[in-house]
């Protein structure tokens, strides 16, 4: 359904509902990758979806989408190293995407 859900197992023992849930993609979520930006940029979550997009989520802001990039096809693999994300897509393309620094990360207007 395109939602990304986050559970905090310290609360309710993971048996209750999600601590946060957000509609991130218009299709299925294909991959989630936790990532820490170098230089104390904080913990982030990268999400790739069947809608051919990659989203950068801020878990401390209720999974707010702070950046989004369109991909050329369905993403089959996703990784993050340092300040870049790498997405491999069904059409054979490999996208190397610079992740925004903490200073440039802001949720898009609603």
């Amino acid at each position: 359904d395109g939602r990304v859900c986050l559970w905090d197992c310290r609360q309710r023992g993971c048996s209750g509902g999600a601590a946060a849930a957000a509609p991130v993609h218009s299709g299925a979520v294909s991959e989630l990758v936790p990532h820490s930006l170098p230089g104390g940029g904080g913990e982030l979550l990268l999400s790739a979806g069947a809608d051919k997009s990659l989203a950068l989520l801020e878990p401390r802001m209720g999974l707010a989408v702070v950046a989004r990039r369109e991909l050329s096809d369905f993403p089959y693999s996703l990784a993050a190293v340092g300040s870049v994300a790498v997405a491999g897509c069904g059409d054979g393309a490999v996208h190397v995407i610079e992740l925004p620094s903490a200073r440039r990360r802001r949720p898009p207007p609603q």
Side-chain angles (χ1 to χ4, degrees):
D1 66 358
R3 290 184 320 139
V4 173
C5 300
L6 179 68
W7 283 265
D8 184 348
C9 291
R10 298 169 298 181
Q11 300 176 6
R12 297 176 258 148
C14 287
S15 61
V24 176
H25 299 282
S26 60
V29 176
S30 63
E31 187 117 21
L32 292 171
V33 174
H35 185 59
S36 296
L37 287 172
E43 297 293 324
L44 303 170
L45 186 63
L46 292 161
S47 173
D51 60 356
K52 301 179 186 177
S53 75
L54 178 133
L56 181 63
L57 310 175
E58 176 60 79
R60 295 166 295 185
M61 294 170 40
L63 295 173
V65 177
V66 295
R68 182 181 298 276
R69 299 292 182 271
E70 297 303 314
L71 303 172
S72 59
D73 201 0
F74 182 90
Y76 281 96
S77 64
L78 177 63
V81 178
S83 61
V84 298
V86 181
C89 296
D91 62 357
V94 175
H95 297 265
V96 178
I97 301 159
E98 182 182 4
L99 299 173
S101 68
R103 291 187 315 273
R104 297 184 326 191
R105 255 188 355 254
R106 304 236 183 332
Q110 301 271 352

